[in-house]
Amino acid sequence: MPASADEGQRDLIPVSLVAHHVFCPRRAWLEAAGEATDTHQMEVGIQAHTPADDPIGSRSHRHRAVDVVSHDLGVIGRCDTVELDDNAAMTVVEHKATPVRRRPDVTEPMRVQVALLAGALTDMGYPVAGQAIYFVNHRTRVDVPISLEDMAAARAAVAATAETLAANEAPPPLEDDRRCSRCSHISICLPDERPLAPVTRRIVVADPDTQVLHLLTPGSRVYVSRGRIEVSKSGEKIGTFPIERVQGVVVHGNIDLSSGLIRELLWRSLPVVWCTTSGRVTGWARAAQGPNGAARPLQHVASYHGRIDLARQFVSAKISNQATLLRRHGDASAEVVRLRELQRDALAASSLTDLFGIEGDAAARYFARFLTMLRPKVVAEEGLTFSVRTRRPARDPINAALNLCYGLLTADAVRAVVACGLDPHAGFLHSSGRNKPALALDLIEEFRSPVADSVVVNAFNNGELHTRDFSTVLGTTRIGERGRRALIAGYERRVTGTFRHPVFGYDVTWRRAMEIQARLILGVIDGTQPRYQGIKIR
């Protein structure tokens, strides 16, 4: 819940949060829970407020970034601009941008906001002469007279906001409401996805124009300089990337990150994941502040007591996708039929023990026919053999390649889970023993075949990966640097490629789909999602 550092101001609510509650109670809840988005609307709003947020721009008759508080109203806030007339009477001027609504119209949330700011100034003992909204992109100023009825409505809005924030569950999303199409938090609220049905209203939520940065060169040093991530080795610069284009960082093997870079990444809430050269995730760093702190205790309680409904969906979707990949690329019609039966059996499993048995049976059948998805010519020329899945140590090139891609998938799942504010360690299918990222491992089950396995199959079939890219010592097969680069490049192409979501019916990248699924898990935990449904490709 929003709170001031001052003990006496603990129950005060930010004025901006009240305005957001007037727009949509769930929008206010998400902001209070720490959810933030990097959208066009948010960036336009930030740019519009940049001059007003700088107190240095104040003059004798115009003050900027003026903090106000009212214990009577129960709010705390900041005025963008306070203008003084010759008699020292004040006019509150709020700066607004309209990236979606093109007209300079004063909305009800704006009216409530200026009413509360003016009321707070009055409670602080300053005379207030008026209120206005300055629309930055229109360069238009609109006066906003506030009546007694407006002040009463503003007080009621504060009370309603306090009631929402004190509730145990988040408000439900709006249904078929025009406000959603212009909300900056549409990508994390997912109002149309909650019924787990095709989304008929077209709301475009673009993936961020950023990328995951994979650091691969052993012995290199990575640091931040003038807003760019620099990579050097032996005193020679070998790479440079603008930090604004980075969505997350994955470190492979022995690479040194400077403390300044780590601090900058965490300040920007960009996660860092460390992996071994074989792909095993060894750890990650995340910002101390994150969203949905109230949901994490619920997650741990649910993990402790178990949620078989979630576990069933993870396994059923995994088996379904295994069957689909075999049907598309392999020679295993009989096994596909059996996998479909096991897919249905998983949804009816009465315990985790039964579920693990079904999953194990399906995995044995799937991997026994995995080699049929590779071209016979490739298998013959490369001398490839594969009949059973061996994790660590890998016994052959295919298992080594799968290990690396599953590690990349786990890194993406950790980032998706962390973005939702959930704990990667508290899962529902995998155990949290030995400090495994259980929830991240749960999440990747439905993505293993369509993402990781597909990358490995395509890499061999397309000639991007060869047996000479691997070395085997004492029965352990390791992938070399050239092969690792080829697989990571193939993985990034796959995970940033789009597909039609089988439930919602819109095009989405595989990486974005992981976060959507993580948010559906969050919804089941916090009570806003009726049930969970895994992704099953067709």
Side-chain angles (χ1 to χ4, degrees), residues 37-47 97-100 102 183-184 206:
T37 63
D38 183 15
T39 60
H40 173 66
Q41 297 101 303
M42 295 296 292
E43 183 60 28
V44 170
I46 291 171
Q47 293 298 324
T98 56
V100 178
R102 303 294 182 179
C183 179
S184 61

Side-chain angles (χ1 to χ4, degrees), residues 15 17 60 195 197 239 262 347 391 507:
V15 171
L17 199 62
S60 59
I262 296 174
L347 292 176
R391 292 174 174 81
D507 290 341

Side-chain angles (χ1 to χ4, degrees), residues 252-456:
H252 299 263
N254 182 27
I255 296 170
D256 178 32
L257 267 65
S258 73
S259 60
L261 173 59
I262 296 174
R263 181 175 62 250
E264 181 70 17
L265 292 170
L266 296 183
W267 182 83
R268 294 170 178 263
S269 295
L270 299 176
V272 186
V273 180
W274 282 267
C275 301
T276 65
T277 53
S278 63
R280 181 169 59 90
V281 174
T282 58
W284 58 86
R286 55 177 288 183
Q289 291 184 334
N292 300 311
R296 285 194 290 277
L298 300 178
Q299 176 193 357
H300 282 273
V301 170
S303 176
Y304 177 78
H305 290 290
R307 288 293 299 260
I308 188 67
D309 56 326
L310 290 172
R312 288 185 190 125
Q313 284 291 331
F314 298 144
V315 174
S316 179
K318 174 184 180 180
I319 298 173
S320 173
N321 293 335
Q322 289 174 333
T324 299
L325 203 66
L326 270 182
R327 176 179 58 79
R328 288 180 179 178
H329 305 288
D331 179 17
S333 57
E335 292 297 350
V336 169
V337 172
R338 179 55 183 151
L339 287 174
R340 294 300 184 195
E341 294 173 352
L342 292 171
Q343 166 194 340
R344 292 187 289 271
D345 292 343
L347 292 176
S350 59
S351 67
L352 283 180
T353 301
D354 293 342
L355 203 53
F356 288 138
I358 295 169
E359 181 186 28
D361 187 5
R365 295 175 181 276
Y366 171 70
F367 285 114
R369 305 298 297 172
F370 190 91
L371 203 61
T372 67
M373 292 191 287
L374 300 183
R375 295 173 182 171
K377 182 179 180 181
V378 171
V379 173
E381 291 179 351
E382 298 288 344
L384 291 169
T385 60
F386 182 87
S387 59
V388 64
R389 173 82 177 108
T390 57
R391 292 174 174 81
R392 292 180 175 84
R395 299 301 186 188
D396 53 72
I398 292 178
N399 271 301
L402 288 173
N403 284 348
L404 176 57
C405 287
Y406 290 158
L408 297 173
L409 196 59
T410 302
D412 265 331
V414 167
R415 292 177 49 256
V417 169
V418 168
C420 301
L422 295 176
D423 186 348
H425 287 99
F428 306 98
L429 175 65
H430 293 83
S431 168
S432 299
R434 300 183 182 179
N435 292 321
K436 292 186 297 185
L439 183 58
L441 296 176
D442 289 353
L443 182 61
I444 71 171
E445 294 292 14
E446 59 202 76
F447 294 96
R448 286 183 186 267
S449 293
V451 177
D453 296 358
S454 178
V455 169
V456 172

